[in-house]
Amino acid sequence: MRPGPGGCCCRRTVRANGCVANGEVRNGYVKTSAAAAAAASQVRGARAAGPGWRPFNEAFEETPMLVAVLTYVGYGVLTLFGYLRDFLRHWRIEKCHHATEREEQKDFVSLYQDFENFYTRNLYMRIRDNWNRPICSVPGARVDIMERQSHDYNWSFKYTGNIIKGVINMGSYNYLGFARNTGSCQEAAAKILEEYGVGVCSTRQEIGNLDKHEELEELVARFLGVEAAMAYGMGFATNSMNIPALVGKGCLILSDELNHASLVLGARLSGATIRIFKHNNMQSLEKLLKDAIVYGQPRTRRPWKKILILVEGIYSMEGSIVRLPEVIALKKKYKAYLYLDEAHSIGALGPTGRGVVDYFGLDPEDVDVMMGTFTKSFGASGGYIGGKKELIDYLRTHSHSAVYATSLSPPVVEQIITSMKCIMGQDGTSLGKECVQQLAENTRYFRRRLKEMGFIIYGNEDSPVVPLMLYMPAKIGAFGREMLKRNIGVVVVGFPATPIIESRARFCLSAAHTKEILDTALKEIDEVGDLLQLKYSRHRLVPLLDRPFDETTYEETED
Amino acid sequence: MATATEQWVLVEMVQALYEAPAYHLILEGILILWIIRLLFSKTYKLQERSDLTVKEKEELIEEWQPEPLVPPVPKDHPALNYNIVSGPPSHKIVVNGKECINFASFNFLGLLDNPRVKAAALASLKKYGVGTCGPRGFYGTFDVHLDLEDRLAKFMKTEEAIIYSYGFATIASAIPAYSKRGDIVFVDRAACFAIQKGLQASRSDIKLFKHNDMADLERLLKEQEIEDQKNPRKARVTRRFIVVEGLYMNTGTICPLPELVKLKYKYKARIFLEESLSFGVLGEHGRGVTEHYGINIDDIDLISANMENALASIGGFCCGRSFVIDHQRLSGQGYCFSASLPPLLAAAAIEALNIMEENPGIFAVLKEKCRQIHKALQGISGLKVVGESLSPAFHLQLEESTGSREQDVRLLQEIVDQCMNRSIALTQARYLEKEEKCLPPPSIRVVVTVEQTAEELERAASTIKEVAQAVLL
């Protein structure tokens, strides 16, 4: 249910029913708007020119009514039992396992709200074994998991000392397969480690600006096709510590409802006004833009100083890809600025692995702030921001991260440099290009097979993040455990990372997955799918692939 | 009877209507209409409600000109051009091509280029690769992370520890995990930027007390107590926290922990202690400010520190009782939503802990060196030493400000530059001037490490003295 420490859980606001209720596709498409029409033609133009022309095929199949009802019933039963067990615990009939306050501090105001804990205690705890599974190997295509047992219904775990070897890893964000302990990246990182050590012990502005950092930033800028770039020690902090440098009071942030927690935190810390538009819904975005400019700030009616649109390349819980051409058309029409978070899409999308801009064949100049992380495709850690020289100069002087946080560890920097050069083909091999192609192939194959089996799969057919809908709370635990029994590690997520009835399993594809691995995984998923009756889809046929872009039956959504 | 009379009156009225002259009727009609109009019309218009036409909206959109995304940065901005360090930033450091002795990196215990630490990190790199490719929840928990958490908890003698992949994010995530809207946080004015951001994210009520002034803190606590008595229902759900640093990053002073603990129990407020500078520095075994004062660590609700200073790795940790710490595993944003710490950095931190445990004498050595340079730096005309003599990171501030911060910064930079030319690497403490709640005055930060020899410390002190005299007089 609870994603546990949910990796890339998105903040959810209540989703308007109108989007989901009646229709297969829930992205509003602006047929009437001139900007969007222009965008559409631009897309076609851009794609027709590029080699990777593909219709934008993104689907979110409607939740079957019966399933929705049963899911609610499931939560109802869980809640009832939760109250019952709380009652038993209160009267000491059932043993309490959770840690308690110190005796000396019993009269302090209680540290937690009780409701928050109700969920953790009674729902999350039942299936806690599906998260935080400790591993003891490279998070590659196969991974070794430490076996653990619980003798008190998941309140505590004991390690048995056994290691479950060679579990197929469908959970790590190892898109291009750079999480490796051999090969050129490891060797280069090892060399730098010997030379530099691991720490830096200072900030970029003080005395922690190593030559390696400068080298990395120059390379990132070249990779992205932007004037300059800056790298930071943590992906999450890249968002939360830089957005406040860009906007402030009197500015407006338009944020997708499913944006990652780091973007939400950054937006909040900035002090700017935040308005939320529906997920990937251009009509909703355009309306907000129009209203913002026409009506200005609330009460004072002063015009906004600037408007910043926050979107992600690939949404990690939905598997959807941002409608970038349309977003760019809108941002140009309304003179807003665009902040694109490519945490999941950099390396994983586009014919050359340059992310979502490359995927649509657009100009990186059109995106004002190109943000991304090194954690995923590059198998390292940290994040970057790329853009115009003025932007980066400003961030060098005003980014919270540059002034107050320790800079990137040198061996990590070297891993990024080597893997990035590999993707760019600068290492003299075509290895990087092959990885990018392999990932794209794996993605399409895996998604297609799952759809053919009859699962409800969310998202874009080119997105390596593949959510498989489970819906019912009991199935979250069951799916995770059954898959592990069959030697496959998957990620399952539920409320609050997803809307309450849309619990799901999520697969992340990797270039390191061979066809054989994928086939094994698919076979087992098929089996578990039958066992748990997960094949909800009523569209056995895969939608036609060559349907023209602008004739798709997008549904108009009401604001 | 009555009806007959009424009927008669009605007939009379109708008759009168017939007999009345036309102009009279017209006039009366107009008067009636006028009265009706007056009754139904408003005497004034509340608001001119006229919706904008599409064309007007388009014009507005056309006319709107946003500010540029970022204002231009002047080419000579003091923070624009970074020093470039070639090679490792260890005891000897090459800054902008010139080799210096490092008095600027927080490498207190000299573990940055320790061969044992490097070997441990290398072994980990060969086993796990570099990245973890996932957050702790989704296959990003490695056995090394569990080991490190265990070791930190044991080292600090607490029940549990939790690690973050970024030092800054540690306290900045920990505070909002507990303190919510409506809660009250008492915080020292000199608190570092990470604490400020954590407080901002928590959206709690913030009460600043004067730096290390317990009387001022008690005054605020008392005020709050009186407030609470007025509204006991609200007080029952309002959590109170005191957030302090062990050694203050911005001032180099130590917090009066024993008094704080007394206040904690007196006013029932929990203490969060940020020990990034004091962890691995203060106390007989380097456990920080609790050990320094001999305070039971359970009296502190939460201790947070980063592993980027004394441990010379990357990341941070929080430790305390399981009741408190475990909550962060679901509520610490920087923990849940971020990729976990690269295993090689965790392995380096474990090895650094080993070294600390094996050489407890190292902390006394560090303390002695701090005392030495502190003494040597006294009495420079124009510069004053700010910070405790046991703090390995302290500040040199201008005795008298020139009146403009810019000018002060320029003067101090001149001192730093000249010291650099004479092979002593120093740096100014950098702040975001517009963002800091209480901006500290500009200063040069001096960092002492165990690797600096007595002669080097002496040389640094005399160099600073000479340069300062040349620049300031």
Side-chain angles (χ1 to χ4, degrees):
Chain A
M1 275 147 256
R2 186 133 171 177
C8 274
C9 314
C10 311
R11 195 186 83 150
R12 301 271 171 167
T13 47
V14 181
R15 183 182 288 167
N17 284 327
C19 313
V20 211
N22 39 16
E24 184 191 327
V25 179
R26 67 170 173 215
N27 293 303
Y29 180 67
V30 203
K31 277 190 178 152
T32 45
S33 140
S41 65
Q42 195 183 331
V43 174
R44 239 178 296 132
R47 281 192 178 156
W53 188 86
R54 229 171 253 155
F56 192 78
N57 209 330
E58 200 161 289
F60 298 91
E61 194 176 324
E62 177 199 349
T63 308
M65 180 60 89
L66 181 66
V67 176
V69 170
L70 286 175
T71 308
Y72 280 121
V73 171
Y75 276 105
V77 171
L78 277 169
T79 312
L80 276 179
F81 270 89
Y83 280 118
L84 176 69
R85 294 183 69 180
D86 272 2
F87 176 79
L88 295 179
R89 282 185 198 117
H90 183 76
W91 294 103
R92 301 284 157 97
I93 299 169
E94 190 182 325
K95 206 175 143 199
C96 269
H97 296 280
H98 45 95
T100 46
E101 179 85 278
R102 278 174 88 198
E103 277 308 315
E104 294 92 321
Q105 289 181 223
K106 285 269 189 219
D107 53 344
F108 280 45
V109 176
S110 96
L111 192 52
Y112 311 116
Q113 274 149 10
D114 202 50
F115 176 74
E116 204 181 329
N117 282 358
F118 178 85
Y119 189 89
T120 316
R121 199 165 51 226
N122 295 309
L123 279 81
Y124 168 62
M125 209 44 91
R126 287 167 178 265
I127 50 169
R128 203 178 110 176
D129 56 314
N130 288 293
W131 294 281
N132 302 302
R133 287 176 179 156
I135 68 171
C136 49
S137 71
V138 181
R142 285 184 187 268
V143 66
D144 299 341
I145 295 184
M146 291 162 76
E147 193 183 56
R148 50 181 190 172
Q149 273 179 350
S150 177
H151 298 291
D152 50 4
Y153 305 100
N154 288 348
W155 284 95
S156 67
F157 290 106
K158 295 245 168 359
Y159 296 98
T160 59
N162 294 340
I163 287 167
I164 314 171
K165 291 243 176 213
V167 177
I168 294 179
N169 183 0
M170 301 299 296
S172 296
Y173 309 128
N174 177 25
Y175 297 124
L176 292 181
F178 280 109
R180 296 175 60 189
N181 58 358
T182 51
S184 58
C185 291
Q186 187 268 105
E187 283 157 22
K191 193 168 154 273
I192 292 299
L193 197 163
E194 302 254 25
E195 192 184 334
Y196 283 77
V198 298
V200 184
C201 294
S202 188
T203 66
R204 292 292 298 275
Q205 282 206 358
E206 289 180 0
I207 205 147
N209 179 47
L210 305 184
D211 46 359
K212 278 281 150 203
H213 295 133
E214 300 271 335
E215 184 188 339
L216 172 68
E217 285 170 355
E218 193 265 329
L219 182 72
V220 171
R222 234 173 337 119
F223 178 73
L224 296 172
V226 294
E227 287 174 15
M230 192 168 181
Y232 306 95
M234 182 193 195
F236 184 95
T238 309
N239 280 333
S240 62
M241 294 167 86
N242 284 307
I243 296 174
L246 300 175
V247 285
K249 245 191 157 61
C251 301
L252 178 67
I253 288 176
L254 298 180
S255 169
D256 191 292
E257 62 176 336
L258 299 188
N259 273 345
H260 187 255
S262 55
L263 288 164
V264 175
L265 179 64
R268 264 202 219 146
L269 290 177
S270 73
T273 307
I274 306 163
R275 286 180 189 161
I276 313 285
F277 60 91
K278 284 184 198 152
H279 175 54
N280 228 350
N281 183 326
M282 294 305 117
Q283 198 183 30
S284 171
L285 174 61
E286 181 163 21
K287 184 169 184 304
L288 285 181
L289 278 167
K290 207 182 259 176
D291 285 356
I293 300 172
V294 171
Y295 298 112
Q297 300 186 31
R299 292 188 53 240
T300 61
R301 297 280 169 238
R302 281 200 194 104
W304 295 103
K305 285 185 188 159
K306 51 194 166 191
I307 300 176
L308 185 68
I309 304 171
L310 300 184
V311 290
E312 286 183 53
I314 292 181
Y315 289 84
S316 65
M317 283 292 151
E318 233 60 17
S320 48
I321 297 177
V322 65
R323 297 174 167 275
L324 194 62
E326 287 135 287
V327 175
I328 288 179
L330 285 177
K331 111 173 179 115
K332 280 186 178 161
K333 182 175 173 198
Y334 294 98
K335 289 170 250 169
Y337 299 105
L338 178 59
Y339 186 106
L340 175 65
D341 176 343
E342 295 221 67
H344 287 268
S345 53
I346 193 72
L349 274 186
T352 58
R354 256 73 157 189
V356 68
V357 177
D358 185 28
Y359 174 75
F360 286 108
L362 299 165
D363 185 357
E365 290 255 307
D366 286 338
V367 180
D368 300 278
V369 188
M370 299 262 278
M371 179 270 167
T373 66
F374 301 126
T375 320
K376 285 136 193 154
S377 298
F378 304 98
S381 80
Y384 65 79
I385 281 184
K388 291 230 159 32
K389 175 120 195 342
E390 301 90 77
L391 169 74
I392 301 305
D393 277 353
Y394 186 78
L395 288 178
R396 278 168 85 89
T397 50
H398 291 83
S399 160
H400 299 180
S401 205
V403 187
Y404 297 103
T406 305
S407 26
L408 272 162
S409 160
V412 175
V413 171
E414 191 60 21
Q415 160 85 15
I416 305 164
I417 293 177
T418 333
S419 55
M420 197 173 275
K421 279 186 176 162
C422 182
I423 300 171
M424 294 165 84
Q426 286 192 355
D427 59 343
T429 68
S430 58
L431 216 74
K433 206 170 162 52
E434 282 159 25
C435 283
V436 172
Q437 277 165 2
Q438 185 65 49
L439 176 65
E441 264 168 47
N442 284 355
T443 301
R444 300 206 108 196
Y445 175 71
F446 193 76
R447 277 183 166 269
R448 197 183 171 91
R449 285 289 305 276
L450 284 180
K451 275 191 188 162
E452 281 167 5
M453 287 174 194
F455 292 106
I456 295 188
I457 302 295
Y458 271 11
N460 193 294
E461 62 174 3
D462 288 323
S463 140
V465 179
V466 187
L468 180 151
M469 303 311 287
L470 301 173
Y471 298 111
M472 292 170 210
K475 291 185 181 179
I476 301 175
F479 189 78
R481 287 172 194 155
E482 285 297 324
M483 290 308 283
L484 187 62
K485 229 187 256 173
R486 292 164 166 76
N487 238 25
I488 296 171
V490 296
V491 166
V492 282
V493 276
F495 184 77
T498 68
I500 192 133
I501 67 160
E502 290 180 24
S503 306
R504 60 196 70 176
R506 189 186 63 184
F507 309 105
C508 290
L509 292 162
S510 162
H513 290 139
T514 58
K515 178 118 192 315
E516 182 217 331
I517 288 181
L518 289 182
D519 281 335
T520 317
L522 284 164
K523 194 183 123 258
E524 304 293 357
I525 294 167
D526 191 28
E527 215 171 275
V528 176
D530 285 329
L531 182 72
L532 301 178
Q533 299 186 2
L534 293 170
K535 297 179 176 176
Y536 299 115
S537 179
R538 285 163 300 179
H539 306 270
R540 291 279 155 166
L541 284 175
V542 180
L544 270 178
L545 294 179
D546 48 0
R547 194 158 45 179
F549 180 68
D550 48 352
E551 282 174 30
T552 337
T553 50
Y554 289 111
E555 175 217 352
E556 302 261 86
T557 51
E558 202 83 45
D559 282 287
Chain B
M1 183 72 190
T3 38
T5 328
E6 271 168 29
Q7 248 171 6
W8 177 239
V9 173
L10 268 173
V11 172
E12 234 178 2
M13 274 173 74
V14 174
Q15 226 163 19
L17 206 67
Y18 279 123
E19 284 164 12
Y23 73 91
H24 193 106
L25 283 177
I26 292 165
L27 203 72
E28 266 182 19
I30 291 171
L31 275 173
I32 287 167
L33 284 176
W34 186 248
I35 289 167
I36 289 170
R37 214 206 114 163
L38 282 179
L39 275 176
F40 285 94
S41 77
K42 287 190 184 117
T43 46
Y44 59 95
K45 278 182 181 156
L46 259 177
Q47 206 167 16
E48 188 101 27
R49 240 197 87 84
S50 63
D51 285 329
L52 295 168
T53 61
V54 176
K55 194 162 165 280
E56 280 169 323
K57 281 187 183 176
E58 268 168 17
E59 276 171 11
L60 280 169
I61 291 167
E62 199 56 45
E63 278 165 24
W64 182 63
Q65 278 307 331
E67 284 179 7
L69 180 60
V70 288
V73 179
K75 282 273 165 285
D76 61 339
H77 191 287
L80 181 59
N81 301 306
Y82 298 170
N83 291 315
I84 296 179
V85 176
S86 344
S90 45
H91 177 50
K92 290 265 175 6
I93 184 170
V94 180
V95 188
N96 302 328
K98 178 141 181 67
E99 191 181 279
C100 304
I101 302 164
N102 193 348
F103 279 87
S105 309
F106 298 111
N107 179 19
F108 305 132
L109 304 179
L111 295 173
L112 192 119
D113 56 353
N114 186 297
R116 275 179 63 186
V117 173
K118 279 184 186 174
L122 193 64
S124 169
L125 172 67
K126 287 193 170 145
K127 186 172 176 203
Y128 303 102
V130 174
T132 58
C133 288
R136 289 290 294 267
F138 306 153
Y139 305 98
T141 302
F142 285 59
D143 47 357
V144 209
H145 295 137
L146 301 174
D147 283 351
L148 177 57
E149 283 176 352
D150 219 38
R151 287 295 307 276
L152 283 166
K154 287 221 175 78
F155 180 81
M156 294 298 284
K157 297 191 171 167
T158 54
E159 282 179 13
E160 193 168 338
I162 179 173
I163 51 173
Y164 283 76
S165 53
Y166 204 44
F168 188 95
T170 313
I171 189 74
S173 296
I175 294 175
Y178 304 99
S179 183
K180 309 282 179 196
R181 200 193 281 274
D183 295 339
I184 300 167
V185 187
F186 300 90
V187 62
D188 194 291
R189 289 177 76 90
C192 65
F193 197 69
I195 292 179
Q196 294 171 31
K197 287 291 125 179
L199 292 174
Q200 198 190 338
S202 77
R203 297 191 270 190
S204 312
D205 292 340
I206 295 155
K207 312 238 162 166
L208 293 168
F209 59 89
K210 285 188 201 131
H211 177 50
N212 271 350
D213 185 340
M214 290 304 105
D216 196 40
L217 172 61
E218 184 153 18
R219 177 184 63 84
L220 288 173
L221 285 163
K222 241 182 211 141
E223 267 173 27
Q224 187 55 41
E225 200 176 45
I226 293 164
E227 201 66 32
D228 285 348
Q229 277 157 1
K230 277 186 213 153
N231 193 349
R233 266 177 76 185
K234 189 173 165 224
R236 268 204 298 279
V237 293
T238 308
R239 286 168 281 244
R240 274 146 297 202
F241 301 93
I242 301 172
V243 181
V244 287
E245 282 179 69
L247 277 176
Y248 282 87
M249 184 65 120
N250 293 355
T251 59
T253 44
I254 187 168
C255 73
L257 201 57
E259 283 88 64
L260 282 163
V261 172
K262 265 181 225 145
L263 289 177
K264 162 188 165 159
Y265 286 110
K266 191 167 170 199
Y267 295 95
K268 303 197 184 351
R270 296 166 198 273
I271 298 183
F272 286 2
L273 181 60
E274 218 298 320
E275 291 223 68
S276 286
L277 274 192
S278 47
F279 172 76
V281 171
L282 292 184
E284 202 184 331
H285 300 91
R287 289 197 189 99
V289 71
T290 46
E291 193 183 30
H292 176 80
Y293 283 116
I295 282 172
N296 179 5
I297 202 149
D298 277 346
D299 283 335
I300 311 299
D301 293 84
L302 179 132
I303 290 178
S304 117
N306 69 31
M307 306 190 282
E308 297 163 354
N309 300 343
L311 288 180
S313 179
I314 303 276
F317 70 92
C318 287
C319 62
R321 299 187 70 248
S322 291
F323 174 70
V324 179
I325 299 301
D326 200 45
H327 182 66
Q328 285 179 53
R329 298 196 191 271
L330 287 175
S331 307
Q333 286 217 320
Y335 178 86
C336 295
F337 297 104
S338 158
S340 51
L341 185 69
L344 72 97
L345 297 171
I350 293 177
E351 193 58 32
L353 273 177
N354 287 340
I355 295 171
M356 275 164 63
E357 282 181 344
E358 287 161 26
N359 313 294
I362 197 172
F363 307 108
V365 174
L366 182 64
K367 204 173 284 172
E368 189 43 50
K369 294 196 187 235
C370 295
R371 208 162 285 148
Q372 186 195 342
I373 192 161
H374 237 268
K375 219 166 122 198
L377 281 172
Q378 298 297 331
I380 301 177
S381 50
L383 279 185
K384 62 177 176 200
V385 179
V386 175
E388 224 83 30
S389 67
L390 48 73
S391 170
F394 57 92
H395 299 257
L396 297 173
Q397 287 173 6
L398 289 178
E399 236 159 24
E400 268 172 64
S401 165
T402 55
S404 104
R405 191 174 174 98
E406 242 171 78
Q407 183 61 25
D408 291 358
V409 168
R410 215 168 293 143
L411 275 176
L412 291 173
Q413 191 55 43
E414 186 58 36
I415 298 176
V416 169
D417 289 345
Q418 289 199 24
C419 286
M420 211 88 97
N421 286 338
R422 298 171 66 170
S423 297
I424 302 293
L426 291 169
T427 173
Q428 283 197 64
R430 304 279 190 179
Y431 306 103
L432 286 172
E433 293 172 13
K434 291 195 183 109
E435 308 275 330
E436 285 276 356
K437 265 234 158 70
C438 310
L439 181 63
S443 64
I444 297 172
R445 193 187 279 123
V446 182
V447 180
V448 184
T449 75
V450 288
E451 287 179 312
Q452 291 152 1
T453 61
E455 297 87 73
E456 282 167 342
L457 289 167
E458 223 37 72
R459 210 183 100 205
S462 60
T463 308
I464 294 169
K465 206 173 263 182
E466 283 161 30
V467 168
Q469 243 133 39
V471 172
L472 298 177
L473 294 180

